[in-house]
Amino acid sequence: MSNDGHQEGDAVAVERLLVPLTDTVTVRQTVGYAVQSGLEGADALECHLVVAMPYDADVPESERQRDDAEHLLSRARNWVEEDAGNADVTIETATIGVDEYLFGPRDYAEIFDAYAADHGIDRVVIDPEYQPGVTAQLLQPLERELERIGLAYDEAPVERPARRGRLVGGTEDFDRLFATFWISYGFYLVLGDPTYWFDLLTGAAVAGIVAVSLAQVTFTVPLDRVQSPLRTVRFAIYVPYLLWEIIKANIAVSAVILRPSMPIEPTLTRVNSRVRSGLPLTALANSITLTPGTLTVRATNQQLLVHTLIPAARDDLFDGGLERGIRFVFYGRESMAIPSPRERDDAEIVGGDEL
């Protein structure tokens, strides 16, 4: 076995595989399948083991994540050596995406594609349980993005363990219920009268029902007891900004309506946002809908389909002010540096008078 590089001869067929890793119950099987399938049709194998770091890899608390990534890469290297035996195998390990914000399947597919192009990768072997960073499982959307960019991939045929729900909820379940209750209660009181006893009682009842029904759906990952309060503070900062955007949009729409010519240009736009699905995407979609002149029609994965009434509303959407604000709430100030949808070419008109 070779771990220091491989010199190819004219008659030597080398299979180059990229294996993205996360610490799942099927990662060992995935590595084994990659080695076996890579050696079946080739004389030598070049196996690239990579860990894609999440968007917050540069914050102080991510040191543990980097250590975990190095430990996983070390374990995976040992697995390849064990499975390869005396076969001619070169092993490369790397962490990728550390200088980028990785929010969803498109981002991960793009960094895999860039790595594949730099290293002449023939095929990507994907763990069916692949779950990078703190995101929910994203294999199916990731497959679609890999197909979109034309990167060959193979899903490892692993045996998945049976999933059994816990009979008794733990601290994580309580955190989800607690957070969902107070978020729902706060929204209810903002829309109602927080000084009226009837709104206080009905708000608590509605928030309780919402928390019991939707806590597990709203928060697909365990809550961070340090970051969650910080997000609450950042949300309190975001609310005045949202109200200001609502006021500006009201004035813009009113000015158009009052003009005799009524320069209304209804269009349907698609925006690939840079926020994760779940609560962040829901918050962004609702913020857009609350702003007059825009209405979120559909929110799937990271993609928003938005109806805009006037050009100014569409321009504001493409400039990404609300998206930047939601990133600030959920991911911190550093994430606000990501380019706008217009700058990164992630927004387009898909229907309306301009087509």
Side-chain angles (χ1 to χ4, degrees):
M1 176 183 297
S2 170
N3 290 325
D4 299 321
H6 180 76
Q7 299 295 327
E8 296 182 44
D10 293 338
V12 177
V14 181
E15 177 84 357
R16 294 180 175 85
L17 298 182
L18 173 62
V19 187
L21 302 174
T22 56
D23 197 5
T24 67
V25 294
T26 54
V27 63
R28 176 66 182 92
Q29 298 179 63
T30 299
V31 173
Y33 170 76
V35 174
Q36 178 186 2
S37 64
L39 290 173
E40 281 180 353
D43 301 313
L45 172 65
E46 189 175 305
C47 188
H48 293 255
L49 308 169
V50 301
V51 173
M53 298 296 288
Y55 71 94
D56 52 358
D58 56 346
V59 298
E61 58 266 27
S62 70
E63 182 177 351
R64 178 183 58 82
Q65 294 175 336
R66 290 193 292 270
D67 292 340
D68 291 344
E70 292 299 328
H71 180 59
L72 177 58
L73 289 171
S74 177
R75 289 161 54 203
R77 173 184 285 272
N78 292 335
W79 295 336
V80 174
E81 294 174 349
E82 177 184 333
D83 294 337
N86 295 322
D88 188 1
V89 176
T90 300
I91 306 172
E92 299 289 344
T93 62
T95 55
I96 60 177
V98 293
D99 296 326
E100 304 177 40
Y101 288 95
L102 306 179
F103 283 93
R106 169 172 292 195
D107 299 316
Y108 285 93
E110 288 177 350
I111 62 168
F112 294 155
D113 185 48
Y115 185 94
D118 291 340
H119 297 83
I121 298 297
D122 300 307
R123 178 165 52 98
V124 181
V125 177
I126 299 293
D127 182 352
E129 297 288 317
Y130 185 69
Q131 190 173 341
V134 296
T135 63
Q137 186 176 340
L138 49 68
L139 178 63
Q140 292 300 323
L142 179 58
E143 286 182 338
R144 289 197 293 269
E145 292 298 335
L146 291 174
E147 290 174 355
R148 180 185 62 83
I149 62 181
L151 184 59
Y153 69 89
D154 187 10
E155 180 182 336
V158 301
E159 295 181 4
R160 307 188 196 189
R163 299 178 183 269
R164 296 182 176 87
R166 291 176 297 178
L167 296 177
V168 180
T171 304
E172 294 175 0
D173 291 332
F174 175 79
D175 290 345
R176 289 187 177 101
L177 287 169
F178 184 83
T180 306
F181 175 85
W182 284 109
I183 291 173
S184 304
Y185 197 30
F187 270 115
Y188 190 96
L189 294 182
V190 167
L191 298 175
D193 184 356
T195 64
Y196 184 37
W197 67 269
F198 182 78
D199 284 356
L200 293 173
L201 291 179
T202 56
V206 170
I209 294 172
V210 171
V212 171
S213 304
L214 302 178
Q216 299 296 332
V217 177
T218 302
F219 299 102
T220 57
V221 295
L223 296 179
D224 188 321
R225 294 196 174 191
V226 174
Q227 287 298 321
S228 295
L230 290 177
R231 291 184 181 117
T232 302
V233 173
R234 293 197 293 261
F235 178 75
I237 299 173
Y238 170 71
V239 168
Y241 170 74
L242 175 60
L243 293 176
W244 172 242
E245 291 297 314
I246 292 174
I247 292 172
K248 289 198 305 180
N250 268 297
I251 295 174
V253 172
S254 298
V256 169
I257 293 175
L258 293 175
R259 291 175 61 181
S261 60
M262 290 281 286
I264 295 176
E265 297 178 2
T267 55
L268 200 60
T269 62
R270 182 187 294 118
V271 177
N272 292 309
S273 64
R274 284 297 185 265
V275 300
R276 299 187 190 276
S277 58
L279 185 59
L281 187 67
T282 301
L284 176 58
N286 287 335
S287 296
I288 291 172
T289 298
L290 285 172
T291 307
T294 53
L295 173 66
T296 303
V297 179
R298 185 173 67 240
T300 306
N301 295 326
Q302 292 175 279
Q303 191 176 92
L304 297 173
L305 194 61
V306 182
H307 183 273
T308 59
L309 186 63
I310 59 177
R314 184 171 62 252
D315 289 340
D316 288 344
L317 180 67
F318 286 12
D319 288 338
L322 291 176
E323 179 187 299
R324 192 174 296 109
I326 291 298
R327 284 203 304 266
F328 166 73
V329 172
F330 288 94
Y331 313 124
R333 186 174 58 184
E334 294 83 1
S335 66
M336 297 175 67
I338 297 176
S340 68
R342 189 195 307 276
E343 293 169 335
R344 60 178 189 259
D345 197 25
D346 261 344
E348 61 177 336
I349 299 173
V350 296
D353 296 338
E354 293 191 2
L355 293 184

